[in-house]
Amino acid sequence: MRDGVLAQLSQDLARREEQGILRELRVKGQGVDFYSNDYLGLASNNACHEMLTAALQHNPQWLRGATGSRLVSGNSAFVLSVEDFIAKQHETERALLFPSGYMANLALFSCLPKRNDTILLDEFVHRSVIDGCRLSFAKKMRFLHNDLDHLESRLAKTPGKCWIAVESLYSMEGDFAPLHDLVLLAERYGASLIVDEAHAMGVFGYGLVYTQALQERVCATVVTYGKAMGAHGAAVLGNNTVIDYLVNFAAPFIYTTGQPDWFAATIRNSYEFLKMNPRLREDLQSRITCFTSAGLPTFSGASSPVQSVPFPGVARLMAVREMLESQSLFTFAVRPPTVQSGSERLRISLHAFNTDAEIRQLTTILKELHDTE
Ligand SMILES: Cc1ncc(COP(=O)(O)O)c(C=O)c1O
């Protein structure tokens, strides 16, 4: 029996290998980073780390374990103060911290939509949202990516309460959701909009919901701290009712040990460092302009830190990635099942710390490859 199960698992892995889509853990390479989500370079910024180290030295008690769920022994006045600080920064009523964006999405989607509700998901929304929906008894339906007409036709035909799930900046395409129009549509149909801002947070101020002043018109926003904020974790932003509801009903919040205080300290440190260094965002924008001025075909054509260049076919895509790596240029080959077969792409993340020369080296190679296709 045991051998039978293992044989089946091995067969599945072998099939993946044959298809060229086997996932393997690789150590981060030494070279030019065009693949991390560290858009502003905070994760490796010495000045940012020095600020944090100094704060930790003054507060060694932050290193203690949380000791239990936040609803038992694992909450502290410090964590509450950081949540309060986050809510103030985003001009929302409340913020609730989570150990990751994945957990924040599991919490939201598993608990807010109810059995007779319907969740309408943009077809390209992140896997953490999909997994959260799988834990919900609500009905789930996809709508075509960023297609407001398709979404409206679904809203018009769906009885009962609807929830809409989108990302403000799509992680694999690099394009933006039409947030303002989505809010109007949701309001017209009495639907509740939930926005995942994992890739916009920090890159565009405190995210696009904040910069477009939509906080009170969306039901909840997820911001993550492991990408442009260079740290780890996430927060759900919302009003008192939404946050109290999560604290009472969200299993991924309730049935897990809280984070130690240093976790909240790293997040507050990133906000403070970013406020003191607005230049990093400007540097990133000029790197984005350097990339887009090369005129490469991309999925979105948007002015975004995520640029996805199509290279259909797994073998071709992997050959391109290997070739770039041989020149110390590290990019991310996006293959099935992350994207559909035929939609393979090279995902290029741009950073404030990339130089124009590095970007030109990359775009020149990619242009040659595309021209010879
Ligand atoms: C759009 C989106 N949402 C959520 C997440 C999950 O965030 P975290 O990495 O903090 O778990 C990711 C991570 O890749 C993401 O791209």
Side-chain angles (χ1 to χ4, degrees):
M1 170 66 185
R2 190 168 158 271
D3 288 349
V5 169
L6 287 181
Q8 179 61 53
L9 301 181
S10 302
Q11 246 175 43
D12 291 349
L13 288 167
R15 195 167 325 110
R16 274 213 159 170
E17 188 155 25
E18 269 163 37
Q19 293 166 347
I21 58 168
L22 186 71
R23 291 173 166 139
E24 281 173 300
L25 288 172
R26 302 197 315 154
V27 175
K28 196 171 182 176
Q30 290 291 321
V32 185
D33 175 359
F34 283 121
Y35 62 175
S36 82
N37 297 316
D38 185 22
Y39 302 116
L40 299 173
L42 258 58
S44 54
N45 187 306
N46 288 337
C48 183
H49 294 171
E50 278 159 21
M51 256 173 72
L52 181 60
T53 311
L56 278 171
Q57 269 164 358
H58 282 104
N59 296 280
Q61 75 281 4
W62 285 349
L63 294 172
R64 290 185 194 140
T67 77
S69 162
R70 285 190 65 189
L71 285 160
V72 186
S73 58
N75 194 33
S76 73
F78 179 70
V79 169
L80 290 176
S81 78
V82 173
E83 287 179 335
D84 207 35
F85 166 86
I86 294 168
K88 283 203 176 73
Q89 304 310 299
H90 290 266
E91 296 171 29
T92 57
E93 273 180 21
R94 296 268 295 282
L96 190 67
L97 283 170
F98 283 86
S100 69
Y102 189 93
M103 293 286 275
N105 278 328
L106 283 196
L108 269 175
F109 289 94
S110 63
C111 112
L112 295 185
K114 298 289 169 231
R115 188 177 292 277
N116 294 317
D117 297 354
T118 304
I119 313 171
L120 300 169
L121 301 126
D122 185 288
E123 62 177 329
F124 291 162
V125 88
H126 193 256
R127 174 63 182 258
S128 52
V129 173
I130 295 167
D131 287 359
C133 292
R134 283 182 179 157
L135 295 174
S136 162
F137 292 111
K139 230 181 345 148
K140 299 106 197 171
M141 263 196 272
R142 296 193 184 227
F143 61 91
L144 297 173
H145 178 54
N146 273 346
D147 188 329
L148 291 171
D149 292 334
H150 193 222
L151 173 59
E152 179 159 16
S153 75
R154 292 252 194 255
L155 284 165
K157 280 191 223 138
T158 309
K161 167 81 190 153
C162 285
W163 301 79
I164 303 170
V166 299
E167 291 175 36
S168 59
L169 166 54
Y170 281 86
S171 59
M172 292 298 148
E173 287 67 34
D175 58 351
F176 300 96
L179 274 189
H180 195 259
D181 292 338
L182 280 163
V183 163
L184 290 174
L185 198 54
E187 285 172 349
R188 196 160 348 124
Y189 286 87
S192 296
L193 182 62
I194 298 182
V195 184
D196 180 333
E197 295 245 58
H199 293 270
M201 173 63 195
V203 172
F204 300 99
Y206 291 146
L208 295 162
V209 169
Y210 175 81
T211 54
Q212 296 178 31
L214 298 172
Q215 297 94 318
E216 285 176 18
R217 299 173 71 184
V218 302
C219 171
T221 305
V222 173
V223 289
T224 66
Y225 300 119
K227 305 184 195 299
M229 301 298 273
H232 195 72
V236 173
L237 312 172
N239 65 20
N240 287 321
T241 311
V242 167
I243 302 300
D244 286 342
Y245 198 86
L246 290 175
V247 170
N248 275 276
F249 295 103
F253 177 84
I254 300 165
Y255 299 104
T256 189
T257 302
Q259 278 67 61
D261 284 357
W262 64 258
F263 164 82
T266 60
I267 291 168
R268 192 182 67 179
N269 187 69
S270 292
Y271 275 93
E272 281 166 352
F273 188 79
L274 207 56
K275 258 198 260 184
M276 290 158 56
N277 295 277
R279 183 67 210 275
L280 290 172
R281 277 208 296 270
E282 291 159 28
D283 289 348
L284 175 58
Q285 288 308 319
S286 86
R287 301 292 111 78
I288 293 171
T289 306
C290 177
F291 184 93
T292 52
S293 64
L296 274 165
T298 61
F299 269 86
S300 73
S303 186
S304 153
V306 177
Q307 298 287 336
S308 281
V309 181
F311 281 102
V314 171
R316 168 93 176 121
L317 176 69
M318 297 313 278
V320 171
R321 187 191 76 177
E322 295 304 316
M323 196 275 271
L324 290 169
E325 280 191 13
S326 72
Q327 306 210 24
S328 296
L329 302 172
F330 288 88
T331 56
F332 175 31
V334 191
R335 301 170 282 174
T338 304
V339 292
Q340 278 177 2
S341 182
S343 182
E344 293 84 359
R345 66 201 62 176
L346 200 68
R347 181 184 186 271
I348 293 141
S349 302
L350 298 167
H351 309 96
F353 56 79
N354 291 138
T355 65
D356 283 358
E358 289 164 353
I359 294 171
R360 275 195 292 271
Q361 185 191 358
L362 176 70
T363 54
T364 306
I365 298 172
L366 291 179
K367 273 199 110 156
E368 274 167 17
L369 288 169
H370 257 274
D371 292 348
T372 54
E373 285 213 338

